[in-house]
Amino acid sequence: CEGSQHCTGPRAVPSMLGEERTVAMRVLVVDDSALVRGQLKRALEGMELVCDTAHSAEEALELQPERPWDLALVDVMLRR
């Protein structure tokens, strides 16, 4: 993504052994609306990104991904 305006699809990242490997960017979507979560998930996966979703901040905190997310899209008006 460095030097470009748009980041989509897999990217090369260095591994602990020194060689680069290609991995998809990971995105977390947190929204209390199932419709919004679904639309964002489809759009992001259409850009070849890995997308996890959660319906609340509590659920998002319980998720334990194999590797951290590169981006989190969080609804600022989450209901309690």
Side-chain angles (χ1 to χ4, degrees):
C1 295
E2 295 175 21
S4 72
Q5 293 181 348
H6 303 284
C7 297
T8 61
R11 61 190 163 104
V13 295
S15 74
M16 293 182 73
L17 300 175
E19 73 273 1
E20 287 189 349
R21 58 189 178 90
T22 301
V23 296
M25 286 185 66
R26 295 178 57 86
V27 180
L28 172 63
V29 173
V30 184
D31 199 298
D32 51 356
S33 167
L35 178 65
V36 171
R37 285 193 315 271
Q39 289 175 332
L40 285 170
K41 183 175 178 73
R42 280 188 298 282
L44 293 165
E45 289 177 343
M47 293 186 282
E48 298 181 15
L49 303 175
V50 174
C51 183
D52 296 321
T53 63
H55 72 274
S56 67
E58 291 80 12
E59 182 185 10
L61 291 171
E62 291 174 5
L63 296 175
Q64 297 292 321
E66 297 172 6
R67 145 177 106 70
W69 294 285
D70 299 297
L71 174 69
L73 300 175
V74 181
D75 179 356
V76 296
M77 301 289 289
L78 285 172
R79 288 180 242 150
R80 290 188 170 230

